């Protein structure tokens, strides 16, 4: 059976680097959405908590329920109000007009649209919204950068806008609130404001900065092997034709497991340098026989480059049913 290993030492090391940059573990909101970027939220959560992080962000309520035993503070990023919000969770208020649809006393972090134009209240409508919050329990406010990986003019403009929003909110409320704007790339490129938390996703797993260590390795196991004679093809359409006699093996991982489908064209290499041979099947691929198990990748960047996408997408697609093992 194919499997994923999660290197707990590497994960703890990454968290320590991140905490050092952010000013402590209590400054971190670890983003655990989509099964912790495909890694395995349930397995990593106890480690994250033991390191001293007590705040995570997830996509929806079902992800929040999976993690509720581990963390006191769980921010749900993509929620549509139902009137049945759980008093334990914190909900992002993404759409000002839905304010009245939340249950009374719901814990809220206000999303501020500082120029990404994806979600949240803009600066012009902020003061008015703050007056209308009524019986919602405002605990914080946050924004998201559209180009923190480039630190271009838009990043500095958004920073200024968020600073203005913080002042407006502080003037309007007497409570001490939590503010956060930095994500992974902002933390490793910019200077984090002292009065903020930061939301870190990808860097936890060793991507985005050369100083960090990759946490995930993906393995497949051998189903069968055979001798391919010169001139024989392999897989659907026989797109790969052997130019010499070759011992090939079929391994138990395919596009149904969340891999991008290799169509037999171009050189897609496994971690040991061997190439995939022929088109990938739904549940398997073939390559030169490399023993009982093979590491498919330990660096999602190689697959991301090949498929012209970003490492996030390669990782997050890894099917939750692949067995995860902590090492
Ligand atoms: C996914 C997400 C993050 C984390 O982004 P990274 O680039 O992985 O650090 C932070 N904030 C919000 C709102 C997100 O949706």
């Amino acid at each position: 059976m194919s499997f994923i290993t999660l290197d707990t030492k590497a994960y703890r090391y990454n968290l320590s680097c991140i905490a050092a940059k952010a000013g402590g573990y209590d400054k971190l909101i670890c983003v655990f959405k989509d099964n912790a970027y495909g890694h395995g939220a349930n397995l990593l959560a106890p480690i994250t908590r033991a390191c001293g992080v007590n705040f995570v962000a997830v996509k929806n309520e079902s992800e929040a329920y999976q993690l509720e035993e581990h963390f006191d503070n769980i921010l749900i990023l993509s929620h549509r109000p139902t009137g049945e919000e759980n008093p334990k969770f914190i909900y992002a208020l993404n759409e000002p007009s839905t304010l009245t649809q939340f249950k009374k006393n719901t814990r809220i972090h206000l999303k501020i649209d500082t120029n990404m134009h994806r979600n949240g209240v803009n600066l012009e409508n902020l003061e008015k919204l703050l007056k209308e919050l009524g019986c919602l329990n405002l605990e914080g406010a946050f924004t998201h950068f559209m180009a923190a990986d480039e630190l271009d003019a838009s990043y500095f403009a958004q920073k200024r806008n968020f600073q203005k929003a913080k002042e407006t909110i502080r003037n309007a409320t007497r409570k001490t609130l939590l503010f956060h704007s930095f994500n992974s790339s902002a933390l490793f490129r910019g200077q984090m404001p002292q009065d903020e938390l930061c939301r870190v996703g990808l860097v936890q797993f060793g991507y985005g900065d050369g100083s960090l260590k990759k946490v995930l390795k993906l393995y497949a196991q051998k189903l069968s092997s055979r001798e391919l004679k010169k001139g024989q093809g392999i897989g659907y359409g026989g797109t790969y034709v052997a130019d010499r006699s070759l011992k090939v093996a079929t391994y138990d991982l395919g596009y149904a497991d969340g891999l991008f489908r290799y169509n037999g064209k171009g050189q897609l290499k496994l971690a040991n340098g061997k190439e995939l041979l022929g088109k990938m099947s739904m549940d398997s691929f073939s390559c030169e026989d490399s023993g009982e198990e093979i590491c498919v990748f330990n660096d999602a960047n190689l697959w991301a480059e090949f498929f012209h996408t970003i490492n996030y997408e390669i990782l997050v697609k890894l099917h939750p049913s692949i067995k995860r093992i902590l090492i």
Side-chain angles (χ1 to χ4, degrees):
M1 215 171 40
S2 55
F3 61 96
I4 282 168
T5 61
L6 300 169
D7 183 339
T8 53
K9 248 198 197 147
Y11 182 66
R12 281 197 210 91
Y13 172 80
N14 295 340
L15 279 189
S16 74
C17 297
I18 295 164
K21 275 202 171 288
Y25 288 96
D26 58 346
K27 292 274 193 166
L28 304 185
I29 301 175
C30 285
V31 181
F32 261 49
K33 64 191 181 197
D34 298 288
N35 201 24
Y37 292 47
H39 284 63
N42 282 326
L43 284 174
L44 290 178
I47 302 170
T48 316
R49 183 72 186 92
C51 285
V53 177
N54 197 8
F55 206 145
V56 290
V58 297
K59 177 162 69 178
N60 54 28
E61 281 185 322
S62 102
E63 289 186 351
Y65 279 109
Q66 279 183 33
L67 298 178
E68 67 175 325
E69 61 175 297
H70 300 291
F71 303 100
D72 293 325
N73 302 291
I74 303 181
L75 172 64
I76 301 174
L77 294 166
S78 304
H79 175 78
R80 285 168 58 89
T82 57
E84 290 169 15
E85 282 69 27
N86 187 319
K88 289 211 300 202
F89 302 148
I90 306 164
Y91 295 82
L93 176 58
N94 289 311
E95 168 55 59
S97 67
T98 62
L99 187 60
T100 54
Q101 293 163 31
F102 282 92
K103 193 172 170 178
K104 262 187 172 178
N105 298 324
T106 295
R107 300 169 71 189
I108 293 288
H109 277 209
L110 198 55
K111 181 76 179 275
I112 313 288
D113 179 7
T114 51
N115 216 22
M116 189 173 183
H117 303 143
R118 200 168 65 169
N119 286 309
V121 59
N122 59 27
L123 290 180
E124 292 86 79
N125 298 323
L126 179 58
E127 256 184 287
K128 182 167 163 284
L129 179 72
L130 288 166
K131 292 197 183 103
E132 292 166 353
L133 283 175
C135 35
L136 291 182
N137 181 7
L138 182 69
E139 294 190 359
F142 70 109
T143 194
H144 196 54
F145 294 116
M146 56 192 281
D149 49 346
E150 288 156 23
L151 292 192
D152 64 3
S154 77
Y155 163 80
F156 293 101
Q158 283 192 276
K159 244 178 110 107
R160 278 195 301 278
N161 286 341
F162 192 54
Q163 194 53 39
K164 277 185 214 151
K166 286 199 282 194
E167 283 158 23
T168 306
I169 295 167
R170 282 189 176 123
N171 289 336
T173 63
R174 262 162 285 139
K175 286 204 318 187
T176 310
L177 300 180
L178 300 174
F179 294 103
H180 41 107
S181 60
F182 272 41
N183 63 351
S184 292
S185 35
L187 182 67
F188 278 79
R189 284 174 185 74
Q191 190 63 42
M192 201 180 105
Q194 295 290 306
D195 61 347
E196 290 191 17
L197 309 179
C198 73
R199 299 182 308 275
V200 282
L202 192 69
V203 281
Q204 295 173 85
F205 311 111
Y207 290 87
D209 192 83
S211 66
L212 302 170
K213 296 176 180 173
K214 307 272 187 297
V215 171
L216 178 147
K217 289 193 172 95
L218 173 66
Y219 290 89
Q221 287 187 318
K222 183 152 79 177
L223 290 169
S224 70
S225 62
R226 70 211 61 250
E227 289 291 339
L228 214 58
K229 294 196 183 79
K230 185 176 172 181
Q232 287 184 322
I234 189 167
Y236 287 111
T239 51
Y240 172 78
V241 178
D243 57 4
R244 60 195 157 99
S245 73
L246 191 66
K247 188 164 184 208
V248 295
T250 297
Y251 289 88
D252 65 347
L253 200 68
Y255 61 85
D257 297 294
L259 294 178
F260 275 70
R261 178 178 163 278
Y262 173 64
N263 67 3
K265 296 190 185 118
Q267 282 192 338
L268 177 56
K269 286 189 178 164
L270 300 151
N272 68 0
K274 304 279 185 214
E275 288 172 42
L276 269 79
L277 300 177
K279 290 179 182 169
M280 178 182 276
S281 298
M282 195 181 287
D283 298 312
S284 65
F285 67 83
S286 299
C287 64
E288 206 175 314
D289 192 341
S290 303
E292 284 308 305
E293 61 193 36
I294 188 166
C295 180
V296 176
F297 64 73
N298 49 23
D299 181 352
N301 288 322
L302 304 179
W303 281 55
E305 270 165 39
F306 185 87
F307 288 104
H308 306 290
T309 183
I310 53 176
N311 45 23
Y312 291 77
E313 193 181 7
I314 299 292
L315 292 166
V316 83
K317 287 207 157 102
L318 293 172
H319 202 280
S321 70
I322 303 172
K323 188 177 171 164
R324 269 81 169 161
I325 303 164
L326 293 176
I327 56 166

